[in-house]
Amino acid sequence: MSEGITVLTGGVGGAKLVLGLMQVAAPDDISAIVNTGDDFRHLGLAISPDIDTLLYTLSGKANAAQGWGREGESWSFMDALKSLGGEDWFLLGDGDMALHVLRTHLLARGETLSAVTGRFAAAWGLGLSVLPMSDDPVGTHVITDSGELAFQSYFVEQRCAPAVRAIRFDGAEQAKPAPGVIEAIASPSARAIVIAPSNPWLSVDPILAVPGVREALAAASAPVVAVSPIVGGKAVKGPTAKLMNELGLQINNRTIAAHYAGIIDGLIVDGRDGGEGIDIPHELTDTLMVSLDDRARVARAALALADRIAAGR
Amino acid sequence: MSEGITVLTGGVGGAKLVLGLMQVAAPDDISAIVNTGDDFRHLGLAISPDIDTLLYTLSGKANAAQGWGREGESWSFMDALKSLGGEDWFLLGDGDMALHVLRTHLLARGETLSAVTGRFAAAWGLGLSVLPMSDDPVGTHVITDSGELAFQSYFVEQRCAPAVRAIRFDGAEQAKPAPGVIEAIASPSARAIVIAPSNPWLSVDPILAVPGVREALAAASAPVVAVSPIVGGKAVKGPTAKLMNELGLQINNRTIAAHYAGIIDGLIVDGRDGGEGIDIPHELTDTLMVSLDDRARVARAALALADRIAAGR
């Protein structure tokens, strides 16, 4: 039986599903392709928020209550930085700094982001393959009523307040998929390709914007299944609902299915929403991932749907 | 009366004297010219150990017991760095990282080390001028029985264990004094130029190796007074005595006076050692600086000797 599982993911929500997949499949069968459109340079440091969230979540270091950063983090660096008049709108925890400083150093020495990410995942014994979508810089920019903003300015500094009119992925056209990305999607031994319930417009679209990724998904021999970020007629995370409204989109699973049309073969939807109007294979489950059991349940549902689709081919 | 006081200093010992000078003179009359021969890049960060020690000491943030770094420092960064397999022979405290990260960032944006240092001193309200000896890189290298070592490798990684045969200052010949350095030494309104009791070979010689500094000291209108690092026939700090032995030098004040011959007009020596054999103006005092009062006493003695020399001209 085919065992390879490839998951496309952003930060927090996606990391929950990847953690669920780690409970129900062997970690070394899993490849996570991670959004790097949020990556940016801050104080000269190379910061990869979604990769870091995944590394922290999978290694049990994440601050789950806060939704970002490390559990038990200390803040001496920020305090000292403020005392020196440094920019303080982006919070960098003391332990968190290790990822940024070491990554920046290794990139400056000529290592690729994939190599650095693989090194970190291995150092923390994670087992799975953590693959940045690209080793080339791709920057998510948000065109808002207050002008164009780089992602972190919009998301962190402005707390998603400006109304979004459009989104673009700077550098995507020139970017190449990182080593292993296309291979993980196109692998003839793949069992399933899962799109995590990350924000489709801000976290998954950057991955799809890397040339070759969309085509590989459309041509994949393994079923491609998305887990919808809609739960009970709302987006789980506030900014997703706000963004969908601003883009004039209805907040329901038809919108999600339409967004991924041509790519996905199936959709996992929340039981509260039902499958009405969804004309592709789908399964209902409770998709709200609070506990580790929740994460495993959603992962199992996604794999079961993929297996059902594969069996019907 | 002339009020300007210029002090040439390395790290810990020198910083104590500068703090003493701050007690007995107006901070804005004081210029500290600081050794940058110990500066190095570590994990891509621009680290200036002597400047940092001075900034911490003068702002009351120094860990006096430890002799380096910040009081009440936390170590989450190092813990996380080790978990990622990063180099861990040089300890970087969480709060300490702010100086290195912000300095690295500002230098990368094109600011000079003097501008960055001035910015930090101002942010912490220090009042005095803290001047790196040069904005150009000068690297102290130690030629030892185990080969040539960059200063931090010798001092921190190898804990001064290898026997030193010679010392060279890489890049010194091409370095220019930082803005304000020659002006502070040559100022016609200067009251005194003080050489702090830092290691003459490792901490003061790099400053003297910057073209123009030695000549400016020799030609200065203000008296130049050194505070000897010898106390009671020993060097206050172990590595200085070990180094002097390895260089075949007698550990006494005649060696210090000879080392600074042609530059200094007077020498402050410890009462335990006496002035025997010293053929330049000198004063005896207790030069061991344990308390803040000690630091002020040594500073007063240095200024008094300078005033006496000036009065006799």
Side-chain angles (χ1 to χ4, degrees):
Chain A
M1 183 177 158
S2 301
E3 294 296 349
I5 298 166
T6 296
V7 52
L8 278 60
T9 181
V12 180
K16 288 181 183 178
L17 180 67
V18 179
L19 186 60
L21 288 166
M22 301 271 281
Q23 314 305 307
V24 304
D28 60 5
D29 286 332
I30 302 174
S31 299
I33 300 172
V34 189
N35 170 41
T36 59
D38 301 7
D39 290 19
F40 75 127
R41 288 262 169 181
H42 181 60
L43 302 172
L45 301 171
I47 300 180
S48 296
D50 284 357
I51 288 174
D52 294 352
T53 295
L54 193 66
L55 294 174
Y56 288 142
T57 301
L58 299 184
S59 63
K61 297 180 176 68
N63 186 326
Q66 184 173 261
W68 56 270
R70 295 169 63 109
E71 187 67 46
E73 186 62 285
S74 61
W75 300 97
S76 303
F77 171 79
M78 285 306 300
D79 290 344
L81 185 71
K82 281 179 212 175
S83 79
L84 291 167
E87 277 183 73
D88 63 356
W89 61 271
F90 192 85
L91 295 179
L92 292 162
D94 295 334
D96 189 38
M97 285 291 289
L99 281 181
H100 312 315
V101 168
L102 194 52
R103 175 166 41 227
T104 305
H105 177 53
L106 296 171
L107 290 175
R109 289 207 321 203
E111 281 197 23
T112 60
L113 182 60
S114 338
V116 173
T117 305
R119 180 198 280 261
F120 290 172
W124 286 351
L126 297 187
L128 85 169
S129 296
V130 181
L131 306 171
M133 67 192 201
S134 178
D135 285 332
D136 304 315
V138 176
T140 298
H141 285 248
V142 178
I143 294 103
T144 76
D145 283 355
S146 323
E148 182 170 326
L149 296 169
F151 179 79
Q152 296 297 337
S153 296
Y154 161 75
F155 192 71
V156 179
E157 198 169 20
Q158 309 260 351
R159 296 163 188 275
C160 307
V164 174
R165 296 302 163 216
I167 301 161
R168 67 180 186 85
F169 307 112
D170 205 29
E173 283 172 29
Q174 293 76 45
K176 288 185 293 293
V181 164
I182 297 299
E183 292 80 349
I185 297 171
S187 167
S189 69
R191 173 183 176 192
I193 298 161
V194 182
I195 298 180
S198 300
N199 187 312
W201 294 270
L202 289 173
S203 298
V204 180
D205 274 4
I207 307 177
L208 302 180
V210 176
V213 170
R214 187 178 281 273
E215 295 74 8
L217 287 167
S221 62
V224 180
V225 169
V227 178
S228 172
I230 306 290
V231 176
K234 297 176 185 167
V236 178
K237 292 182 69 194
T240 304
K242 178 171 181 291
L243 179 79
M244 291 177 78
N245 272 323
E246 290 162 359
L247 295 176
L249 298 164
Q250 290 182 18
I251 300 174
N252 60 39
N253 283 316
R254 284 190 305 281
T255 303
I256 303 299
H259 184 73
Y260 290 136
I263 294 174
I264 60 172
D265 303 301
L267 184 67
I268 297 293
V269 300
D270 189 75
R272 277 153 277 206
D273 299 303
E276 201 189 343
I278 303 173
D279 56 4
I280 56 171
H282 54 276
E283 285 288 348
L284 309 187
T285 189
D286 177 356
T287 61
L288 201 59
M289 294 183 282
V290 179
S291 68
L292 189 58
D293 282 350
D294 294 335
R295 292 159 172 73
R297 181 190 60 246
V298 177
R300 248 184 243 108
L303 295 180
L305 176 57
D307 292 346
R308 176 160 75 85
I309 294 167
R313 281 179 175 174
Chain B
M1 184 178 160
S2 302
E3 294 296 349
I5 298 166
T6 297
V7 52
L8 279 60
T9 182
V12 181
K16 289 181 182 177
L17 181 67
V18 180
L19 186 60
L21 289 165
M22 301 271 282
Q23 313 306 306
V24 303
D28 60 5
D29 286 332
I30 302 174
S31 299
I33 300 171
V34 189
N35 171 40
T36 57
D38 302 7
D39 289 19
F40 74 127
R41 287 264 169 180
H42 181 59
L43 302 173
L45 300 171
I47 300 181
S48 296
D50 285 356
I51 288 173
D52 294 351
T53 295
L54 193 65
L55 294 174
Y56 288 142
T57 301
L58 300 183
S59 63
K61 296 179 177 68
N63 185 325
Q66 184 174 260
W68 55 271
R70 295 168 63 109
E71 187 67 47
E73 186 62 284
S74 61
W75 300 96
S76 302
F77 171 78
M78 285 306 301
D79 290 345
L81 186 69
K82 282 179 211 174
S83 79
L84 291 167
E87 279 184 73
D88 62 357
W89 62 271
F90 191 86
L91 296 180
L92 292 163
D94 295 334
D96 189 38
M97 285 292 288
L99 281 180
H100 311 316
V101 169
L102 194 52
R103 175 167 40 226
T104 305
H105 177 53
L106 295 171
L107 291 174
R109 288 207 322 202
E111 280 197 24
T112 61
L113 182 60
S114 338
V116 174
T117 305
R119 180 198 280 259
F120 290 171
W124 285 351
L126 297 187
L128 84 170
S129 295
V130 180
L131 306 171
M133 66 192 203
S134 178
D135 285 332
D136 304 315
V138 176
T140 298
H141 285 249
V142 178
I143 294 104
T144 75
D145 283 356
S146 322
E148 182 170 327
L149 296 169
F151 180 79
Q152 296 297 337
S153 296
Y154 162 75
F155 192 71
V156 178
E157 198 169 19
Q158 309 260 349
R159 296 164 189 273
C160 307
V164 175
R165 297 302 163 214
I167 299 161
R168 68 181 185 82
F169 307 112
D170 205 29
E173 283 172 29
Q174 293 76 45
K176 288 186 294 292
V181 164
I182 297 299
E183 293 79 349
I185 297 171
S187 167
S189 69
R191 173 182 175 191
I193 299 161
V194 182
I195 299 179
S198 300
N199 186 310
W201 293 271
L202 289 173
S203 298
V204 180
D205 274 5
I207 306 177
L208 302 180
V210 177
V213 170
R214 187 177 282 273
E215 296 71 9
L217 287 166
S221 62
V224 181
V225 169
V227 177
S228 172
I230 307 290
V231 176
K234 298 176 185 166
V236 178
K237 291 181 69 192
T240 305
K242 178 172 182 291
L243 179 80
M244 291 178 78
N245 272 322
E246 289 162 359
L247 296 176
L249 298 165
Q250 290 182 18
I251 300 174
N252 60 40
N253 283 315
R254 284 190 304 281
T255 303
I256 304 299
H259 184 74
Y260 290 136
I263 293 173
I264 61 172
D265 304 301
L267 186 66
I268 297 292
V269 300
D270 189 74
R272 277 153 278 207
D273 299 303
E276 200 190 344
I278 303 174
D279 58 1
I280 57 169
H282 54 276
E283 284 289 347
L284 310 187
T285 190
D286 177 357
T287 60
L288 200 61
M289 293 183 283
V290 179
S291 69
L292 189 58
D293 282 350
D294 294 336
R295 292 160 171 72
R297 181 189 60 245
V298 177
R300 249 184 242 108
L303 296 180
L305 176 57
D307 291 346
R308 177 159 75 83
I309 293 166
R313 282 178 175 176

